[in-house]
Amino acid sequence: MSDTIREADARVDLALIARWQRGDERAATELVERHAPALARFAVTQGVRDGADELVQDTFVRAFSSLHSFRADSSLRTWLFTILKRLVLDRQRAERRGPQQVELEERHAVQEFNALDGLVADEAMLRVRNAVAHLSPLQREVFTLRVMEGLPYTEIAQVVGSTEGACRVHYHNAMRAIKEYLSDD
Amino acid sequence: MTDCPNGEMRDLLPEYAHGVLGAEDTARVAAHVAACDDCRAELALIGRVRESVTLGVPRTNVAAIVGALPAPRAASGKPALYASPRRDVAWKTWQYAAAAGLVLAVGSGVVWQRTSVGTGARFADSSQVRTSPAPAETTHATAPLTPEDGITFGGGLSDLSLNDLQALLGQMDSLKTLPSTDPQSVTPVIASNEGGKTL
Ligand SMILES: [Zn+2]
């Protein structure tokens, strides 16, 4: 079962945390190397363009500041994603200027996610990016955690604050929406 | 692009793509994908999504992040990883419980009438501590206490809410018949997640 691989992964994290708590700073470097790229991907797909690296840094600072409250019954990865998601939401709320801003923000998120399209030379790649960008925010969260990071529904549900069943539905709806977008385009 | 009717296989495709499935599931999905055009197309789409999304993601500066982290805690042998987020509440609960236990323990000779301290005020188990003198072989005018009469204190105290415990302590404070024994002269060691703690 995949749980064995995930459990082994989680055990590596726990061992690194224990090393860090004993004063081994290299363990922190390993932990950051293991998780920072995935956090950056998640931030970007949630519409963060400028300062994604700062948000990732803030995520680690907060996590390491409260490792004593980390429960080993959820994975460190899930916990980090949860912290990052909250930071992204906080930033989006801070930038909100009025109730009608929500729709604008979603459009803004789509534009930001697509803003780097100049870097994507391949037209097919561009279309795939657009397809992902046009998912609803919740669908995009679930879909990217599943496809980009290979997270199980149990962990995705914890990050997005939903149930496994709902996340499964969101994932398959997202996949269907992307296929339709690509076939219509 | 159509959807494969095999929901289980479709569900496993992202994890298959990430190589996080166990050997058995990997073999099952591989065999299915080899024979299923829909799943092969969906797997290819998953690969394209991963590739296209990754293109726009900035590289993270590991050194900068590590440099911003707080200093690691001094080695203390604390098994912090397994601490519950409700640890503070749990610890306070045990502080109240220990305080209540102390006063009850030194309060022998004081017969407490049953008082209302909330629905969780009664707990009786095999390790009951009675606040009254041992009733056995006594000829006191006072009838021996039964569990219905006296306050008993057992392992169930941890089930009390903080409000219950605060109410209990408040009532104990108001009692004028408490002996003058200073409970603070006793420093019990309470086992906790963080090792020994003294009150
Ligand atoms: Zn199939």
Side-chain angles (χ1 to χ4, degrees):
Chain A
M1 292 298 287
S2 58
D3 280 349
T4 311
I5 294 172
R6 292 198 182 99
E7 282 165 11
D9 232 24
R11 276 198 300 275
V12 171
D13 281 341
L14 289 179
L16 287 168
I17 292 171
R19 273 175 50 195
W20 180 76
Q21 287 179 321
R22 288 195 299 268
D24 182 353
E25 293 195 38
R26 287 170 306 173
T29 302
E30 286 186 51
L31 283 166
V32 172
E33 283 172 345
R34 282 167 65 81
H35 297 289
L39 294 172
R41 282 193 291 271
F42 186 63
V44 168
T45 54
Q46 300 317 304
V48 175
R49 183 190 174 195
D50 296 325
D53 49 348
E54 289 164 23
L55 280 178
V56 172
Q57 179 171 311
D58 284 354
T59 300
F60 278 104
V61 169
R62 288 185 186 224
F64 275 71
S65 300
S66 54
L67 271 176
H68 57 277
S69 68
F70 170 60
R71 296 183 64 183
D73 53 355
S74 80
S75 79
L76 175 69
R77 175 177 63 176
T78 306
W79 196 49
L80 290 171
F81 276 123
T82 307
I83 295 172
L84 174 60
K85 177 184 151 64
R86 210 178 303 137
L87 289 174
V88 170
L89 282 175
D90 286 348
R91 175 185 281 200
Q92 288 170 344
R93 283 197 192 105
E95 290 169 355
R96 187 178 298 164
R97 289 181 176 79
Q100 72 277 27
Q101 191 72 12
V102 177
E103 192 188 335
L104 288 175
E105 273 179 6
E106 286 185 11
R107 215 179 305 152
H108 189 53
V110 171
Q111 287 166 353
E112 285 196 329
F113 183 51
N114 288 336
L116 299 172
D117 285 345
L119 299 174
V120 186
D122 188 327
E123 179 67 22
M125 291 289 181
L126 204 71
R127 286 168 56 206
V128 173
R129 282 179 67 85
N130 284 339
V132 175
H134 279 83
L135 296 174
S136 74
L138 183 54
Q139 279 181 344
R140 199 162 55 236
E141 279 179 27
V142 172
F143 185 79
T144 53
L145 288 173
R146 186 92 181 128
V147 167
M148 299 303 297
E149 315 307 334
L151 258 62
Y153 290 118
T154 48
E155 286 190 40
I156 296 173
Q158 288 177 50
V159 175
V160 305
S162 186
T163 64
E164 280 184 61
C167 289
R168 183 176 276 107
V169 170
H170 287 308
Y171 169 75
H172 286 290
N173 285 344
M175 181 61 86
R176 187 168 301 120
I178 284 176
K179 287 178 180 175
E180 284 171 4
Y181 184 95
L182 294 176
S183 62
D184 290 347
D185 209 20
Chain B
M1 196 184 300
T2 53
D3 292 341
C4 170
N6 188 331
E8 189 203 355
M9 287 297 126
R10 282 189 69 207
D11 243 1
L12 292 174
L13 291 177
E15 285 153 304
Y16 177 73
H18 279 266
V20 293
L21 291 177
E24 191 182 319
D25 281 338
T26 299
R28 283 172 58 222
V29 176
H32 176 82
V33 167
C36 177
D37 290 342
D38 290 336
C39 281
R40 220 167 28 250
E42 191 161 312
L43 193 60
L45 176 57
I46 286 171
R48 290 209 304 280
V49 168
R50 290 178 64 185
E51 196 179 342
S52 68
V53 169
T54 304
L55 276 171
V57 177
R59 285 180 65 87
T60 48
N61 187 336
V62 173
I65 294 172
V66 172
L69 296 178
R73 282 186 175 189
S76 61
K78 291 180 180 178
L81 301 183
Y82 299 95
S84 154
R86 295 175 58 225
R87 187 177 52 139
D88 289 346
V89 173
W91 170 235
K92 284 195 175 108
T93 302
W94 277 105
Q95 283 182 308
Y96 284 122
L102 266 182
V103 178
L104 288 171
V106 299
S108 60
V110 179
V111 177
W112 286 22
Q113 295 303 312
R114 180 179 180 178
T115 53
S116 168
V117 289
T119 54
R122 297 202 69 79
F123 11 80
D125 67 12
S126 58
S127 61
Q128 288 174 356
V129 176
R130 302 188 67 101
T131 56
S132 62
E137 299 174 34
T138 58
T139 55
H140 289 183
T142 310
L145 291 172
T146 67
E148 285 304 307
D149 299 319
I151 288 182
T152 54
F153 168 46
L157 195 54
S158 60
D159 295 327
L160 281 183
S161 71
L162 276 181
N163 284 342
D164 292 336
L165 288 162
Q166 278 170 326
L168 180 61
L169 283 182
Q171 292 188 353
M172 288 158 63
D173 287 341
S174 68
L175 283 177
K176 295 179 178 172
T177 50
L178 281 177
S180 60
T181 309
D182 180 8
Q184 291 185 340
S185 63
V186 181
T187 52
V189 176
I190 307 296
S192 79
N193 285 341
E194 296 194 359
K197 279 213 174 189
T198 54
L199 286 175

